[in-house]
Amino acid sequence: MPIERKVIDIEKIEEQRAICAQIFERVTADGQRPLAMVDTYGCQQNEADSEKIRGYLAEMGYGLDVIVVNTCAVREHAEMRVLGNVGALNHSKKARPGQIIAVCGCMVQQKHMAEKIKMSYPVVDLVFGPHELWRFPELLNQVMEKHKRVFAIDKAESVAEGIPLRRDGKVKAWLSIMYGCNNFCTYCIVPYVRGRERSRRPEDVLAEARQLVAEGYKDITLLGQNVNSYGKDLDCGVDFADLIRQINDIPGDFLIRFMTSHPRDATEKLFKTMAECEKCAHHIHLPVQSGSDRILKRMNRHYDRAKYLDEIATARRYMPDLVITTDIIVGFPDETEEDFADTLSLCEEVRYDAMFTFIYSKRVGTPAATMPDPYTRADKQVHFDQLMELSNRISGEKHKEYEGKTVRVLVDGETGKEEYNLSSRTNGGRLVHLHGDKSLIGQFIDVKITASNTWALYGSLEF
Ligand code: 5AD
Ligand code: SF4
């Protein structure tokens, strides 16, 4: 059943922008404009959220001494880093007593974490969850005017249009097409902190895509926790493949990427659309998480190994040059040697171009957190290292196959190094280091691959 959709009226966003203007007047009155800082942890969704926070801050004139820490809750390690770094802000605040410190994002949407910050981190002035981001100016204004701490952790799952954005860079752009997740994989905290799936309307997504193309962006990544279920909550007759086709029809030379796809509902229609749309990159990030049917069931992934491999075969039939990447969790509760061997064999079979591997991290409130687990962290580390070795070997072998070939890349930035001063990406998203003039940034060019290693390719413009 579709959830009730809380759309934030555009007037409400206008109100927030009016507050930005008020703050601008106040803080720029003495002619001083020190920089604000937004520190981002976690996934691309968080990067995209931080661009909204920066957009609001820019409208406030940056004339603030504000530090915003945008947090992640997917694994314990990220939370520990955030807490360590927030604790260290004590020094910064002592030196600059007027400084405002805000902590937002997925970590603080968890009740126990918001409570922990309230009790143990008095340095923090403002805490807000992902559902409250749209009213960040109002919350910040409350802190500034009332000189008291503000905690805003609403549960209302909203979709807001019209929030100003300050993007990172001029070549690549994130474009959020939906928020939240309905899948409830048993290890994952995301559905609890980001809420149920809410798609943005196709016309809003298309308008933003057109604007990005007009502004000269060349690489647009459509973002969602599970992009394949785009539109299901809207009843608007546009599914994810249709959306790709509509964006592909926008005139201009640019690439369409997307992430993340859940194997549960990646369809043949999607692969066919990817193959037919000339602007769609031949890359799919299709997290398998495990190669063992027993573990996949316990993870609540709704597919088995055979279905997954079948999907890969279908996708490769449509796009023989498809770049495939994945996420894998090692050491899910009660993962045996046999289960792990299934993961290794699946990886050998698929031969991923790149794998993102994680050791299972227990998340409070998820079903997996209460599953018995006889294995130690040290046992898991052994498997993790084995998987990394396999992943590095296959990536290295796949990269070697590029040597001597000419590939089209998009030059996306500078590396800061002398020999290979530019970075670029192939259509499939592989990193290629180059030497060339920085005027090439933002251009599609042909390069010859001259060398490679596990992580990257090295190319030459002269051939
Ligand atoms: N422990 C370890 N890895 C996790 N991921 C999600 N939740 C956990 C967890 N509790 C991984 C999954 C997901 C990626 C973004 O993070 O592999 O695809
Ligand atoms: Fe988490 Fe699963 Fe949703 Fe991905 S699909 S965000 S792993 S619950």
Side-chain angles (χ1 to χ4, degrees):
M1 213 188 48
I3 57 147
E4 199 185 326
R5 189 185 158 84
K6 181 178 170 193
V7 179
I8 308 297
D9 295 338
I10 194 78
E11 292 79 38
K12 288 223 168 109
I13 301 298
E14 289 306 326
E15 275 167 34
Q16 297 300 316
R17 297 180 81 167
I19 297 173
C20 290
Q22 269 174 33
I23 296 176
F24 182 98
E25 290 297 321
R26 194 183 319 139
V27 297
T28 56
D30 61 0
Q32 292 217 3
R33 298 174 75 164
L35 285 181
M37 182 180 106
V38 185
D39 190 12
T40 313
Y41 293 77
C43 66
Q44 292 76 14
Q45 269 82 3
N46 258 19
E47 299 280 352
D49 280 354
S50 288
E51 291 181 347
K52 292 181 183 163
I53 296 169
R54 288 199 188 93
Y56 271 143
L57 285 167
E59 291 202 350
M60 292 169 196
Y62 276 83
L64 300 158
D65 202 355
V66 180
I67 295 179
V68 182
V69 184
N70 188 3
T71 64
C72 171
V74 168
R75 283 173 292 276
E76 191 185 9
H77 180 69
E79 293 188 334
M80 291 299 139
R81 269 178 52 218
V82 164
L83 292 177
N85 290 345
V86 169
L89 290 175
N90 265 322
H91 303 293
S92 163
K93 193 147 177 173
K94 263 202 192 107
R96 311 165 68 95
Q99 189 168 60
I100 296 175
I101 294 174
V103 182
C104 65
C106 294
M107 185 180 103
V108 297
Q109 187 67 31
Q110 305 168 99
K111 223 172 165 187
H112 68 280
M113 276 298 177
E115 207 50 38
K116 185 169 188 143
I117 290 180
K118 196 177 232 169
M119 306 309 291
S120 314
Y121 293 82
V123 71
V124 176
D125 305 287
L126 168 61
V127 171
F128 60 99
H131 307 306
E132 301 279 20
L133 190 156
W134 67 272
R135 60 188 198 105
F136 166 56
E138 176 191 339
L139 298 170
L140 188 66
N141 210 24
Q142 278 175 23
V143 175
M144 293 168 91
E145 283 186 341
K146 301 193 180 132
H147 300 285
K148 61 170 203 181
R149 304 174 85 195
V150 172
F151 287 76
I153 317 288
D154 196 356
K155 277 205 171 324
E157 300 166 0
S158 53
V159 177
E161 297 295 339
I163 300 180
L165 278 168
R166 214 353 126 93
R167 294 185 196 275
D168 262 355
K170 293 271 166 246
V171 182
K172 301 198 268 191
W174 307 123
L175 203 180
S176 295
I177 62 166
M178 59 196 298
Y179 311 102
C181 181
N182 286 356
N183 285 304
F184 289 95
C185 302
T186 53
Y187 50 81
C188 186
I189 196 73
V190 168
Y192 303 90
V193 291
R194 288 217 169 237
R196 296 299 82 70
E197 282 170 5
R198 288 101 63 206
S199 304
R200 289 178 68 195
R201 299 200 173 278
E203 54 272 28
D204 292 326
V205 174
L206 280 166
E208 190 170 337
R210 270 190 219 104
Q211 193 190 338
L212 288 171
V213 174
E215 287 172 13
Y217 285 93
K218 296 278 183 269
D219 182 315
I220 300 175
T221 303
L222 311 179
L223 287 184
Q225 302 294 345
N226 176 18
V227 289
N228 299 329
S229 56
Y230 174 80
K232 285 185 185 160
D233 56 316
L234 287 178
D235 267 341
C236 65
V238 177
D239 67 12
F240 182 54
D242 302 330
L243 187 72
I244 290 183
R245 214 174 267 284
Q246 292 181 13
I247 297 175
N248 190 67
D249 285 342
I250 299 173
D253 195 12
F254 63 96
L255 274 174
I256 306 167
R257 304 184 184 281
F258 56 86
M259 68 189 312
T260 293
S261 297
H262 194 305
R264 167 189 191 168
D265 30 34
T267 57
E268 183 162 351
K269 178 177 172 186
L270 171 67
F271 302 137
K272 187 163 182 283
T273 305
M274 287 173 73
E276 286 173 0
C277 291
E278 73 288 354
K279 290 170 193 158
C280 192
H282 285 193
H283 170 211
I284 193 158
H285 183 64
L286 203 59
V288 68
Q289 312 297 1
S290 167
S292 151
D293 284 346
R294 191 180 77 92
I295 296 294
L296 287 172
K297 204 167 201 128
R298 287 160 58 85
M299 286 178 163
N300 193 33
R301 291 290 288 177
H302 294 277
Y303 56 84
D304 59 12
R305 180 188 175 101
K307 174 173 153 65
Y308 184 87
L309 289 173
D310 208 44
E311 259 173 34
I312 297 276
T314 309
R316 283 191 166 139
R317 216 171 38 247
Y318 281 101
M319 292 165 285
D321 61 343
L322 183 66
V323 166
I324 304 176
T325 54
T326 201
D327 292 343
I328 293 185
I329 297 177
V330 172
F332 184 81
D334 197 32
E335 182 183 68
T336 63
E337 283 295 336
E338 228 178 9
D339 294 318
F340 180 66
D342 285 344
T343 296
L344 289 179
S345 73
L346 179 126
C347 296
E348 287 277 12
E349 203 168 329
V350 176
R351 288 182 61 77
Y352 292 106
D353 292 82
M355 289 160 53
F356 300 88
T357 49
F358 310 100
I359 291 188
Y360 169 74
S361 172
K362 192 187 260 196
R363 306 286 66 211
V364 175
T366 61
T370 55
M371 292 181 189
D373 188 7
Y375 299 101
T376 63
R377 166 83 201 198
D379 296 330
K380 298 179 188 201
Q381 189 69 45
V382 172
H383 284 170
F384 182 80
D385 293 346
Q386 249 177 297
L387 189 61
M388 279 287 274
E389 211 182 297
L390 176 86
S391 160
N392 289 346
R393 173 171 62 73
I394 295 175
S395 293
E397 286 168 5
K398 293 208 111 178
H399 282 169
K400 194 106 195 136
E401 291 166 15
Y402 285 87
E403 289 184 18
K405 291 193 177 144
T406 300
V407 292
R408 187 173 187 247
V409 297
L410 171 63
V411 184
D412 57 16
E414 290 183 274
T415 60
K417 299 206 177 87
E418 221 171 271
E419 196 184 353
Y420 288 102
N421 62 322
L422 298 177
S423 69
S424 67
R425 295 268 168 186
T426 66
N427 174 302
R430 303 290 73 214
L431 176 63
V432 184
H433 293 299
L434 298 172
H435 186 84
D437 194 84
K438 66 179 188 193
S439 62
L440 292 172
I441 294 172
Q443 291 188 36
F444 288 100
I445 54 170
D446 282 340
V447 298
K448 185 164 181 173
I449 303 302
T450 51
S452 71
N453 59 28
T454 306
W455 302 277
L457 306 169
Y458 294 83
S460 166
L461 300 172
E462 286 131 34
F463 55 93

